[in-house]
Amino acid sequence: MPQITLVPTGQIFVTEPGEPVLAAALRAGLNLPHSCKGGHCASCRARILTGEFAYPRGRPAGITADEEQGGYALLCQAIALTDLRVETREVRPAPDVEVKSLPCRIERMDRVADDVMALFLRLPAVEEFNYRPGQYLDVMLSGGRRRSFSIAGAPGDGRLIELHVRRASQSGFTGQLFDSMHSGTLLRIEGPLGQFWFRTESPRPPLFVGGGTGYAPLRAMLRQLVAAGDRRPVTLYWGARGVPDLYEHAWLEDLQRQRPGFSYRPVLSGPPADDAAPWTGRSGLVHEAVLADLPELAGFDVYASGPPAMVEAIREAFPRHGLPREQLFFDSFDYAPDTLAKLQGTAPPGAQ
Ligand code: FES
């Protein structure tokens, strides 16, 4: 089995046959940078110093030919063919959280939009589950598979963990959730995970940009700020296809009226609404709406969460508008790797 050595730390782990380098690192307890695990967000980009690797599904969308030529690889997709030496950094987990694998029970399911379910999970009474708003958890599935979902509630929202799940397939986990799961269904989760959390210590105002259910981790951050009485200015852009997909539009409009400094800017990308419910707000792509309003971004911390195409557009365009890369935090879980592969026509047989 290929052995992976991290530089400069010297940490070593091995990969199983066909196992991506990132998955093997996480399995070994090494928290390497990552987000989408689908080859799109480039969070897991690292330099391969020596050794051979391959992408079974072809070069992922999140890396350019130039980057590849420069020796970089996306560890969430790269399969080691030989021993590798990989230059990357291990991200320390938040000091106040502990990653746990826990059983839980579906307490409640609320259909908040046609294809979005708010799912409330109850943990065993004796277990603490601490997380930072913005982090995600994995739902463990059969055969060692897992699906990642951002936590939509703030830690103070009670003992229930709230997730916003978009239906991404007919027969996979999300399809089963919509069609056959019910309150009382038992699940196993692992978390909290990820490095997408709100940097409270920053003096810069946050600019939240969400697409679809990518709103969920931003909602967790927002609820935390509100609960803490934090009065810093906050701007939220939420991109969705149609009005029904802005499933917390009323709450956000209320919050905008009640909390000085909070600005809510919904943007619809779908076809114009019918005459019965005309849309008088913004239309187009959400990242373009941000740039039209705020062409100079150097003074913000940007938290972006949504489909891979939205996150890619932001990563590409916002630095050209003055945003330093260290002030851009992003997350992208709208599609699981198997769903992405299907969309790209590269799914291995049997993937769902
Ligand atoms: S985690 Fe590898 S590209 Fe997103």
Side-chain angles (χ1 to χ4, degrees):
M1 289 186 290
Q3 176 174 294
I4 316 297
T5 305
L6 300 184
V7 175
T9 60
Q11 290 154 310
I12 291 175
F13 58 96
V14 294
T15 62
E16 301 286 348
E19 183 182 37
V21 175
L22 175 68
L26 295 175
R27 187 170 49 74
L30 298 169
N31 190 28
L32 301 189
H34 67 278
S35 178
C36 71
K37 298 184 196 162
H40 273 255
C41 73
S43 306
C44 63
R45 198 184 69 146
R47 196 196 297 264
I48 308 297
L49 300 177
T50 59
E52 302 291 324
F53 67 94
Y55 297 121
R57 294 169 176 157
R59 191 173 76 222
I63 191 162
T64 63
D66 280 355
E67 289 172 319
E68 207 170 47
Q69 289 240 310
Y72 288 96
L74 297 185
L75 299 186
C76 71
Q77 302 298 303
I79 310 288
L81 302 177
T82 65
D83 291 353
L84 300 179
R85 288 175 63 245
V86 179
E87 185 179 60
T88 185
R89 69 199 158 88
E90 189 188 1
V91 178
R92 300 214 169 280
D96 46 346
V97 304
E98 180 188 351
V99 179
K100 294 181 175 180
S101 176
L102 295 170
C104 63
R105 182 165 54 78
I106 296 179
E107 174 89 5
R108 203 171 88 231
M109 299 163 68
D110 295 342
R111 189 84 165 250
V112 292
D114 258 5
D115 62 351
V116 180
M117 188 79 80
L119 180 65
F120 296 85
L121 304 178
R122 182 171 291 285
L123 295 169
V126 291
E127 289 289 353
E128 287 285 323
F129 186 79
N130 297 320
Y131 62 94
R132 291 192 172 185
Q135 287 193 287
Y136 70 92
L137 56 74
D138 279 352
V139 175
M140 314 305 283
L141 308 174
S142 60
R145 293 172 307 135
R146 31 173 88 206
R147 284 295 311 263
S148 302
F149 298 100
S150 296
I151 303 170
D157 282 353
R159 290 200 56 79
L160 298 182
I161 298 177
E162 180 175 351
L163 310 176
H164 294 172
V165 179
R166 188 182 65 84
R167 183 175 192 137
S169 66
Q170 291 301 319
S171 56
F173 170 74
T174 60
Q176 290 167 18
L177 178 73
F178 275 69
D179 295 338
S180 57
M181 291 189 192
H182 46 77
S183 53
T185 298
L186 294 176
L187 299 172
R188 175 162 283 275
I189 61 166
E190 185 174 297
L193 300 165
Q195 299 99 38
F196 187 66
W197 63 67
F198 188 73
R199 273 57 179 178
T200 43
E201 68 286 356
S202 171
R204 291 173 293 274
L207 174 57
F208 294 157
V209 189
T213 50
Y215 162 69
L218 306 175
R219 175 190 191 266
M221 296 178 186
L222 188 55
R223 290 184 71 89
Q224 175 81 344
L225 287 170
V226 170
D230 191 311
R231 308 305 280 182
R232 78 184 80 199
V234 180
T235 304
L236 166 67
Y237 284 80
W238 187 8
R241 279 167 302 177
V243 174
D245 303 306
L246 297 169
Y247 49 87
E248 287 202 319
H249 187 65
W251 178 68
L252 291 165
E253 287 203 316
D254 275 355
L255 190 62
Q256 181 171 241
R257 279 189 288 272
Q258 290 161 16
R259 183 190 182 276
F262 173 58
S263 178
Y264 165 51
R265 301 177 188 178
V267 183
L268 295 188
S269 63
D274 58 38
D275 291 343
W279 174 249
T280 54
R282 312 285 293 272
S283 296
L285 296 177
V286 65
H287 77 283
E288 289 177 352
V290 174
L291 293 177
D293 292 349
L294 304 166
E296 175 48 60
L297 293 168
F300 292 95
D301 286 338
V302 173
Y303 295 83
S305 171
M310 186 203 87
V311 172
E312 278 175 51
I314 287 173
R315 286 181 58 235
E316 200 266 323
F318 282 21
R320 285 193 273 109
H321 288 258
L323 183 73
R325 291 196 183 268
E326 61 275 16
Q327 289 169 218
L328 172 58
F329 309 94
F330 49 85
D331 206 7
S332 184
F333 286 127
D334 221 20
Y335 299 97
D338 49 2
T339 308
L340 276 171
K342 270 181 110 172
L343 293 173
Q344 293 162 350
T346 54
Q352 59 175 20

